[in-house]
Amino acid sequence: MIVFASCIILFLIGLYAIVTKRNLIKIAIGFVLIEYAVNLFFALVGFKKGALAPIITKLDTPHNFVDPIPQALVLTAIVIGLATTALMLTVILRIYDRYKTFDIAEIKRLKG
Amino acid sequence: MKGMSLIVKTVTNIVIGFIFIYGLYIILHGHLTPGGGFAGGVIIAGVFVLKLLTFGSKAKDERSASTQASVWESIGGLLFVSVAFLGLLLAGTFFINFLPKGTPLHLLSAGIIPICNIAIAIKVGAGLFAIFLALAAQKYIIED
Amino acid sequence: MIELYLFLIFMVTAAIIATEIKDLMAAVISLGAVGFSVAIMFIMLQAPDLAIVQIVVEVLTIVIFVAVILRTTHIDKTIGKKLSGTQILAIVSFSGFAILFLIVMFRTLQEIPAFGEPIMKVAMEYIRLGLSSYGPGGANIVANVILDFRALDTLGEATVLFTSVIAVVTLIRKSGRKK
C-alpha cells in the first residue's frame, strides 16, 4: 500500500511539472516522469511475493510465477513512450527555431 | 556530425561487435529467455547510434541512411502483417500460430513467435534509428 | 523489501530535482537517474524483460534529450522569476486537484488487491497453456502473450511507432517549408 502511494507521488510530481512549469523541456520531463510512474505501477500490481519471473526453465514442475499480463502491456508501452517523447521534442525544437525561447509565456503571437 | 577522439574510437572498435552479437542473441532467443524483438531491436539501434556518434559521418551519407532506415522499417512492418495474413489464409484466423510447435525449450520451437520477433526487431530498430538520425544527426539550418 | 522503499525515496528526490533545477542538462541527468532506478526496480519485481527494454530505451531517451539541448540552450531562464498570475492560478488548481486525487486514490487502494498478492485468473490460463500442445509453445510467457495471445495489441503498437517516425521525419526536414 505504501509502495503504491509512493508511485502515485511520483505521478503527481510529473503532473506538477506539466501544469506549473513555463519551460518546454521541463514540461517534456514531466511527461516522461508520468510515463515512468504508470509503468512502475503496472509492474507493482503484477508482483507476487516469493514468485519467479514468468519464464519456464523446467518442464513438469509446478509453476509459481508473477503476473505476466501487466509486464506484456508495459513492454509495448515503454517503446511507444520513447517514440512519443521524440515526437514531442521535435515539436519543441521547431518552436525554438521560430521563437528562440523555451518560455511558453513569451510564445503568444502567431507568426508565419 | 564530427567524430570523437582516438580513445573512444579504439574502445568502440573492440566493443561494437559484441554488442551487435548480444542484440542478435536477445532477438533469436526471445521465446526462451528474457528479451525479444523490442529489447533486441533497441539494442541494434543503439549499435548504429554508437557507431555514428563515434566515427562521425557526412551529411550526404546521413540522408541516404535515413532513407534506408525508413525502407527497413517498412520491411519489418510488412513481414509482421504478412505473417498475420498467412495465418488467415492457411488456418482461418488472423495471427493464428500455424507453424509446427517443435520441441519445447529448444531454439526451433514456438511456431511463428521467432519470426514475429525478428520482424518486430527490424521495425523497432530501424524506426528508432530513423528518429535519432532526424533529431540528432541531420544538419538543418535554423532560419531567422 | 526495504530496498524497494529506498529506491522509491531516491526516485522521488531525483524527480523533484529534475523539475526544479535551473540547468536543463542537470535536469536531464536527474531524469536518467529516475529511469535507471525504474530499471533496477523491474529486476527486483521479477520482470527481466522490462528491465532490459527500460535500460536501452533510457539510454536513447537521454541521447535524444541531450541532442535537443545541445542544439538550443541549456539554461532554464524561467526559474527564479517572479510568479505570474497564471502560474499562481495553476499552482492553486494543481493543489486542489492533488488533494482530490489523493483522497480518491486512498479509497481505491483499499479496494484493489494488496501488494504481493495479485488475482491471476487470466494469467493462470496463459501459464497453463504456455507449453501445452494447444498453446503457442514458447518458454517465455511474456513473449507468448505479446506475440500470440494478444498479437493484435502489438500490431497496434507497431502502427503507433510507424506514425511517430513518419511525423518526426516530416517535421524535421527543411525542404517543402515556406520561406
Side-chain angles (χ1 to χ4, degrees):
Chain A
M1 171 100 181
I2 300 170
V3 185
F4 291 149
S6 327
C7 207
I8 287 162
I9 288 172
L10 193 62
F11 177 88
L12 281 177
I13 292 170
L15 194 65
Y16 169 78
I18 291 173
V19 174
T20 63
K21 291 292 160 189
R22 275 167 54 186
N23 190 299
L24 280 169
I25 295 279
K26 288 287 172 68
I27 293 174
I29 286 176
F31 271 102
V32 179
L33 282 176
I34 282 190
E35 183 202 321
Y36 289 161
V38 173
N39 289 348
L40 191 60
F41 189 79
F42 267 94
L44 287 170
V45 165
F47 182 66
K48 188 175 167 191
K49 278 206 179 80
L52 295 173
I55 289 150
I56 300 171
T57 50
K58 283 196 200 86
L59 299 171
D60 305 327
T61 47
H63 304 309
N64 183 21
F65 289 153
V66 298
D67 198 343
I69 298 175
Q71 296 190 15
L73 296 177
V74 170
L75 192 62
T76 55
I78 291 173
V79 180
I80 290 181
L82 176 55
T84 48
T85 306
L87 180 55
M88 190 157 51
L89 286 173
T90 314
V91 176
I92 289 171
L93 201 59
R94 275 271 158 256
I95 290 173
Y96 188 86
D97 280 358
R98 185 145 290 195
Y99 295 96
K100 304 286 180 243
T101 179
F102 279 141
D103 192 347
I104 56 171
E106 290 175 24
I107 306 168
K108 275 179 187 159
R109 64 201 189 285
L110 289 170
K111 254 168 75 173
Chain B
M1 174 173 282
K2 277 197 321 206
M4 290 190 183
S5 69
L6 184 65
I7 300 170
V8 183
K9 280 181 184 169
T10 314
V11 173
T12 309
N13 264 331
I14 298 168
V15 158
I16 203 164
F18 291 109
I19 303 177
F20 196 77
I21 290 176
Y22 177 65
L24 287 183
Y25 166 80
I26 291 251
I27 295 166
L28 292 178
H29 289 247
H31 54 298
L32 301 175
T33 53
F38 290 102
V42 186
I43 289 174
I44 298 288
V47 168
F48 286 108
V49 169
L50 177 65
K51 188 168 181 306
L52 200 87
L53 283 179
T54 308
F55 294 102
S57 63
K58 295 193 203 83
K60 202 174 84 205
D61 297 344
E62 281 166 10
R63 212 169 300 128
S64 70
S66 185
T67 319
Q68 278 178 19
S70 307
V71 170
W72 276 104
E73 201 204 354
S74 313
I75 289 174
L78 277 178
L79 188 58
F80 193 49
V81 176
S82 57
V83 166
F85 271 108
L86 269 180
L88 185 62
L89 277 180
L90 297 178
T93 313
F94 202 58
F95 268 122
I96 197 165
N97 202 335
F98 60 91
L99 287 175
K101 303 288 156 48
T103 38
L105 302 184
H106 282 73
L107 188 58
L108 287 176
S109 67
I112 63 166
I113 291 182
I115 301 172
C116 286
N117 263 331
I118 292 169
I120 294 271
I122 293 172
K123 184 163 174 48
V124 170
L128 292 183
F129 186 57
I131 285 179
F132 171 78
L133 272 178
L135 263 178
Q138 271 181 7
K139 271 270 176 280
Y140 74 100
I141 303 150
I142 294 179
E143 61 204 318
D144 281 300
Chain C
M1 280 279 119
I2 184 72
E3 64 271 20
L4 211 59
Y5 295 102
L6 287 178
F7 265 104
L8 276 168
I9 293 168
F10 175 71
M11 279 166 61
V12 169
T13 319
I16 291 172
I17 292 172
T19 54
E20 289 299 334
I21 204 163
K22 194 178 171 73
D23 193 338
L24 286 176
M25 204 63 102
V28 170
I29 290 168
S30 301
L31 184 70
V34 181
F36 286 117
S37 311
V38 171
I40 295 171
M41 283 187 73
F42 281 154
I43 294 179
M44 286 178 194
L45 296 169
Q46 300 289 342
D49 299 84
L50 298 186
I52 295 172
V53 178
Q54 175 71 37
I55 285 179
V56 280
V57 162
E58 183 58 40
V59 171
L60 275 185
T61 309
I62 300 285
V63 168
I64 290 174
F65 262 103
V66 168
V68 171
I69 289 172
L70 281 182
R71 277 188 172 190
T72 54
T73 173
H74 67 99
I75 301 293
D76 184 358
K77 293 199 182 75
T78 60
I79 296 282
K81 271 188 189 171
K82 227 172 69 192
L83 293 179
S84 64
T86 327
Q87 228 170 348
I88 292 169
L89 184 68
I91 290 175
V92 168
S93 57
F94 170 78
S95 322
F97 174 79
I99 291 166
L100 202 69
F101 187 74
L102 282 177
I103 291 170
V104 173
M105 284 315 286
F106 183 72
R107 297 178 72 158
T108 314
L109 287 180
Q110 286 173 331
E111 298 290 325
I112 67 172
F115 176 64
E117 297 149 14
I119 312 168
M120 292 167 61
K121 254 186 200 164
V122 185
M124 285 320 284
E125 197 69 10
Y126 287 166
I127 292 169
R128 192 178 60 76
L129 276 172
L131 278 183
S132 71
S133 52
Y134 304 108
N140 187 349
I141 308 281
V142 177
N144 281 353
V145 173
I146 63 170
L147 291 177
D148 192 294
F149 295 117
R150 300 190 173 198
L152 274 178
D153 197 1
T154 311
L155 188 61
E157 186 273 344
T159 316
V160 173
L161 189 67
F162 187 71
T163 316
S164 181
V165 172
I166 293 281
V168 169
V169 174
T170 314
L171 274 172
I172 208 76
R173 70 178 175 184
K174 195 167 178 296
S175 56
R177 267 186 290 137
K178 269 190 223 160
K179 286 285 175 311

